Amino acid sequence: MPNNQFKRGELYSFITGKASTAIARRLQKNFKQQGVEITIEQWSVLYHLWKQDGMSQQELCNSTFRDKPSITRLVDNLEKQKLVKRVSSKEDRRMNMIFLTETAKRLQDQSMDIANQTLNEALEGVDVGDIDLCKAVLQQVYDNLK
Amino acid sequence: MPNNQFKRGELYSFITGKASTAIARRLQKNFKQQGVEITIEQWSVLYHLWKQDGMSQQELCNSTFRDKPSITRLVDNLEKQKLVKRVSSKEDRRMNMIFLTETAKRLQDQSMDIANQTLNEALEGVDVGDIDLCKAVLQQVYDNLK
DNA sequence: TTAAATTAGTTGCATAACTAACAATATGCC
DNA sequence: GGCATATTGTTAGTTATGCAACTAATTTAA
């Protein structure tokens, strides 16, 4: 039996990612309660644009760990809500560069506060060293599978 | 600044659950490659029925951490694929008891093998003690938010 | 014993995911 | 230049999630 063989119940919860689902739901709820009308998926796109505005859709795919159709639709919806604008690149007309609107720029601080607050709710009572170790394990898992 | 305040990049990856998404995708891929034609969401329902056949939809909601409409539709699809049958309860006619078909029962061993194999891929090179600690942290997160 | 409240499940609507197939543009090689 | 190949993004079809509103059956309580 391999080293890491899980017991039944544990396997389930690890695979289905109960904890990350719970965090996502809570973040969505906190956004809503504080009047931030975006989905967490939209937030994840904005998050990367706040770090670097004007990324291409392909770059957003890589950053957000989503496939191209997903980004197409997320950008569609963000555009409908007037949070980003598609600008087709002059050097390579296949590419769309995605730019934040002023509205989206104003959302950054508030939404990052909500995200941090959500994580603090999630991690209440967890030892800081344990969090670091957990982050390392999850990173290793990601690297193993990517 | 609260104890658990995350640095930017770490916050993102923890919230979006990159690792659990990666595990889910790999499990789906492994199912497909080995000819098991179910989604991971369907698997999560079957998983609980394998432990205890004949649960009600509400019990499946609690076990799988999904809401009622999700379970309604998952059971719809599982029924279409002839993997489960709805039987309305004689004691309480509001309730549907969900029963595995023979086809679904035969899927158990193979799919559990694939799930274990997937976890072993995911956890390769991770210290067993660290896994335990990580499981404990994730459980705590779940408990904090539920 | 009826009326109100609760519980179990379904349906409709919006968003999002994955796969596969596709159009348009760009690159590389002859 | 011209054709095969890559890359970027879109569209279509299926599955899934969350929320709100709904039906039907059951329980509680006036």
Side-chain angles (χ1 to χ4, degrees), chain B residues 61-77:
Chain B
C61 291
N62 303 335
S63 305
T64 63
F65 190 52
R66 291 184 161 80
D67 66 358
K68 289 195 292 177
S70 294
I71 289 297
T72 293
R73 286 171 173 130
L74 281 171
V75 172
D76 284 348
N77 285 331

Side-chain angles (χ1 to χ4, degrees), chain B residues 105-131:
Chain B
K105 286 179 189 164
R106 280 194 297 269
L107 267 174
Q108 174 170 10
D109 288 344
Q110 188 185 8
S111 77
M112 292 301 290
D113 284 349
I114 298 174
N116 271 308
Q117 161 210 327
T118 303
L119 265 181
N120 288 328
E121 294 170 29
L123 295 171
E124 198 179 322
V126 182
D127 179 80
V128 179
D130 291 353
I131 296 173

Side-chain angles (χ1 to χ4, degrees), chain A residues 4-6 8 10-12 20 25-26 47-48 65 112 116 122-124 131 134-135 144-145, chain B residues 4-6 8 10-12 20 25-26 47-48 65 112 116 122-124 131 134-135 144-145:
Chain A
N4 290 328
Q5 191 90 26
F6 264 51
R8 289 286 214 73
E10 300 168 346
L11 175 150
Y12 177 77
S20 63
R25 284 181 192 168
R26 177 63 61 92
Y47 180 94
H48 292 283
F65 191 52
M112 293 301 291
N116 269 310
L123 295 170
E124 198 180 324
I131 296 173
C134 188
K135 285 190 294 198
N144 282 344
L145 298 180
Chain B
N4 289 328
Q5 191 88 27
F6 264 53
R8 289 287 214 71
E10 300 168 343
L11 175 151
Y12 177 78
S20 63
R25 284 181 191 166
R26 177 63 62 93
Y47 180 95
H48 292 282
F65 190 52
M112 292 301 290
N116 271 308
L123 295 171
E124 198 179 322
I131 296 173
C134 187
K135 286 190 294 197
N144 282 344
L145 299 180

Side-chain angles (χ1 to χ4, degrees), chain B residues 39 100-101 139:
Chain B
T39 66
L100 294 161
T101 63
Q139 183 62 46

